[in-house]
Amino acid sequence: MNSKEDTKLSAIWPRQPFVGLALAALFGILIAEATPHPSTGLVALGLSAPLAFVRKSSLATCAFVLACFFYLHSLRQTNSPGLRLAQELGEMPQAVTATGVVVSEPNVSARGTASFLFQFDSITLHDQTLVSHATISARWRHQVRFGDELQLFGVVQRVEGPRNPGEFDMRAYLARRDIRYALLVRDPENGRILKRGGGSRIMRAALDSRAWMQAALARGLDDSPDLHGLISGMVLGVRDQTPDEIEEQFQETGTLHLFAVSGLNVAILAQLLWMILRGARVPRRWAIALIIPALFFYAAVTGLNASSIRAALMAAVLLGGFFVDRKVLATNSVAAAAVLVLCWDTNQLFSTGFQLSFAVVIAIIVLAEPLYGVLVRWCEPDPFLPQSLLSRRQRSWQWIWSAIAKGSSVSLAAWIGSLPLILPYFYLVTPVSLLANLVVVPIAFFVLAVGLMSLLVISFAPWLAVIFNNANWSLAAAILWAVGLFARAPGGHFYLALPHWPTGALAEITVLDAGTGAAVHLRTGRSDWLFDAGPARDFKRVVRPYLRSRGINGLDGIVLSHGDAAHIGATVAMMRAFHPLALLDTAAPDRSRVHKELIAHLAEMHFARRFCGAGDHWKIGKDVVARVLFPPAEYQASNADDQALVVQLTIAGRWRVLLLSDSGEATERLLLAGDADLRSDILIKGQHHSGVSGSLELLERAQPAAIVASSVAFPQNESVKHEWEEVVSARQIKLFRQDRTGAVTLRFFQDHWEVKPFLQPETFRNPAK
């Protein structure tokens, strides 16, 4: 091939060496993930390094890079501080005394408990002191700050994995950061602060700067905490001040990325700084030299999280090309940024943020220009008509449509790039995001610009900063209004379960592991009902993710068993998120504060409860009938557990499931004294506050083949007793204790039913008798 052909080919497809290097790094990490072997990686590294140096070919260089990343990831998978600590501590919880440093900004709960990352200096267990530099997750009810050196006494245990379908896998997420244990410090006096002001000076300075910036952006907005939280989230990436309802609206409109300091925020900041510096006639190279460190400072101020570092690296690579007067090829620059990020942490390849960031950027690079060409042609004037003959109105419309087409093409390309990842991670499809981003992103540009101006002038003109902040209040209010409007758009977003083979079940019941509470989901045909909503603290972590993972956008009904906060605490949040068509409650009076607050909320929402009592029944879908066995309409007991709703489900006229909630001996005696047919294939029960329930007489009357029982280690009255477990086993009843099984799914077919625990591989099946 002659030089002229080389030049022609180079013009069509310019050399982009980092693309090959990024692919080599990706394959090296994936191979190490499947078969980590550091010694093999070291040998491969030793063989490929001389070859790459001597041959100086692309193939040899890629082989060397593949070997490098295979070795790096193998090392992190087999010989990290967290793994070495795991070899010492094992699987069982242990009491330890540990000293170390707080290496993250503490997150403080409403009760004053601080959650933070804690890097060990030493750890003492069984009178033996070990030196370890592993990082763990810690919780302590005390005021702590980043960099504090602490001595803590508590129980260290493995980070718990998910116990319910759809629940976020915190164990896997933290393991990618080499965090494998959690330290729980029970009382404030079980720890002490040894020294203040340790840790990274850069991180301390960045956090202090962020606190100052937050205070500056809040000046004059004391009466609008929600809007101040929105501004802080968009400018500084601080999300803990944003209410859940607002955050969910942003997620449902595909605009939640505005809260994460990612490529968009960094690009807006870089554009603003570029405009300011060029307006001040700063030479291009000097402007770039100032912008790059400013972007990394911004990443530090926002917490040095992975997304901000990724975005700063990508921007730095792109700007670096302009600095050295090299032609910047977007694909090559993105690949170079990916290599740098993976050098920093090979586990980034498996993070949702990394995958989404690069998928969206690559989709924009590949698809935005062709899509723009298609869109802009829709309103182009006659190509044979000279531009000079176009009217001012035509030229204005052409300019406006070109801008709309450019924004739409980028938004559509980003949506296409993110969809394959958004669906499996979040079970969410957001067609409205195409329009929402067109409206919201330009306003977000001005929010960041006005916020930057406020920070620049607050030191010498606080009155001007207040003006800027109030202008930002108006912009944030406009964003909030627009996002709320788009979130309410019919068909604008919907949740979708992952594609799966149909089971053919007539009905499916999932008993979620809600600790001492309960949340039981019944699906039959297209009907979805929930028996109890679970505790408020588990709504975001357990119940809502589960329902979303099942593709549930709305509930047909919610049935409340009794006034226990662990059973009905999440009802208000459930109604706002899933808009049930009906809510069934008992008419029995109780003294529950949570129940009274719920009734008040329902009155504000103008939502009428339906009362039910013994003898009432209703049809759920075409295959299930629900019948209330207890309590009678006028029944009243001294405590809520003794007037809990007992419901029997009959499926296809054949299978029966008895939902006992937290019923105890008093309820059981009344059920046994009545004439109701208690025979049931499966019992689903909680624990009575006395710790006594599930009497032998009830078991004999019901004759179940399986029991699903809630159980927790503490308090003891909420745990399945060993003696009762032996009684159940002696009657050859299969017991599913949820402290061991997690959630339990029951599927009912025409000729059999089956039980599948979430944490165990077994499936219990009962054939037709």
Side-chain angles (χ1 to χ4, degrees), residues 145-371:
R145 297 197 296 263
F146 173 86
D148 285 353
E149 187 176 334
L150 310 177
Q151 183 182 66
L152 301 174
F153 172 76
V155 176
V156 68
Q157 61 188 32
R158 281 280 193 179
V159 174
E160 192 173 45
R163 303 183 61 82
N164 297 277
E167 188 178 341
F168 180 69
D169 192 347
M170 183 60 74
R171 172 181 279 187
Y173 169 75
L174 291 178
R176 290 291 178 192
R177 301 174 63 184
D178 199 30
I179 299 168
R180 301 171 192 277
Y181 286 88
L183 177 63
L184 306 178
V185 183
R186 184 171 180 179
D187 299 310
E189 57 269 20
N190 290 143
R192 61 193 181 101
I193 298 173
L194 301 177
K195 181 183 175 184
R196 293 278 192 185
S200 165
R201 292 184 179 179
I202 295 175
M203 191 65 181
R204 271 207 325 275
L207 292 175
D208 290 342
S209 299
R210 183 171 72 178
W212 175 82
M213 291 178 185
Q214 275 188 270
L217 293 172
R219 182 167 292 194
L221 303 180
D222 298 333
D223 58 343
S224 303
D226 287 355
L227 290 174
H228 167 240
L230 179 59
I231 294 168
S232 293
M234 295 176 67
V235 176
L236 301 173
V238 180
R239 290 172 58 178
D240 56 359
Q241 297 179 0
T242 308
D244 294 339
E245 295 82 5
I246 293 177
E247 192 169 309
E248 188 170 12
Q249 287 181 347
F250 277 85
Q251 181 174 335
E252 291 170 345
T253 54
T255 54
L256 188 61
H257 58 85
L258 296 174
F259 285 90
V261 178
S262 56
L264 178 65
N265 305 64
V266 170
I268 291 174
L269 180 62
Q271 180 69 23
L272 288 170
L273 293 175
W274 178 260
M275 291 167 60
I276 293 170
L277 293 171
R278 294 299 284 168
R281 299 185 179 277
V282 176
R284 189 178 73 166
R285 282 196 173 188
W286 280 104
I288 293 172
L290 291 170
I291 289 171
I292 290 176
L295 296 181
F296 281 103
F297 175 73
Y298 181 58
V301 165
T302 56
L304 277 181
N305 54 63
S307 63
S308 61
I309 294 172
R310 274 197 309 269
L313 278 173
M314 291 174 73
V317 171
L318 285 166
L319 291 170
F322 290 112
F323 183 82
V324 296
D325 287 326
R326 295 289 298 272
K327 183 179 179 181
V328 176
L329 300 171
T331 309
N332 194 54
S333 298
V334 169
V339 172
L340 290 173
V341 171
L342 294 174
C343 282
W344 167 56
D345 181 9
T346 54
N347 276 309
Q348 281 292 306
L349 180 62
F350 305 97
S351 76
T352 309
F354 178 94
Q355 295 168 10
L356 276 172
S357 295
F358 284 95
V360 167
V361 171
I362 292 169
I364 290 172
I365 291 171
V366 174
L367 299 176
E369 196 62 35
L371 289 171

Side-chain angles (χ1 to χ4, degrees), residues 61-134:
T61 303
C62 286
F64 172 68
V65 170
L66 188 150
C68 282
F69 279 92
F70 174 82
Y71 174 68
L72 277 176
H73 193 62
S74 294
L75 207 59
R76 286 171 177 161
Q77 291 293 93
T78 57
N79 190 27
S80 66
L83 288 170
R84 291 194 293 272
L85 179 66
Q87 292 174 353
E88 297 289 345
L89 296 181
E91 295 293 328
M92 299 302 295
Q94 298 194 55
V96 300
T97 300
T99 59
V101 179
V102 178
V103 292
S104 71
E105 187 179 16
N107 182 23
V108 183
S109 70
R111 295 183 176 182
T113 300
S115 301
F116 50 90
L117 298 183
F118 185 59
Q119 186 176 39
F120 286 145
D121 288 330
S122 65
I123 179 170
T124 302
L125 69 160
H126 307 309
D127 297 325
Q128 182 181 2
T129 300
L130 306 172
V131 176
S132 173
H133 299 293

Side-chain angles (χ1 to χ4, degrees), residues 12 38 40 82 84 142 261 310 319 321 329 367 429 460-461 466 478 489 534 564 578 581 607 711 735:
I12 298 171
T40 302
R84 291 194 293 272
H142 202 281
V261 178
R310 274 197 309 269
L319 291 170
L329 300 171
L367 299 176
V429 180
F460 59 87
V466 172
D564 189 334
F578 294 94
L581 301 178
F607 194 99
S711 182
L735 175 63

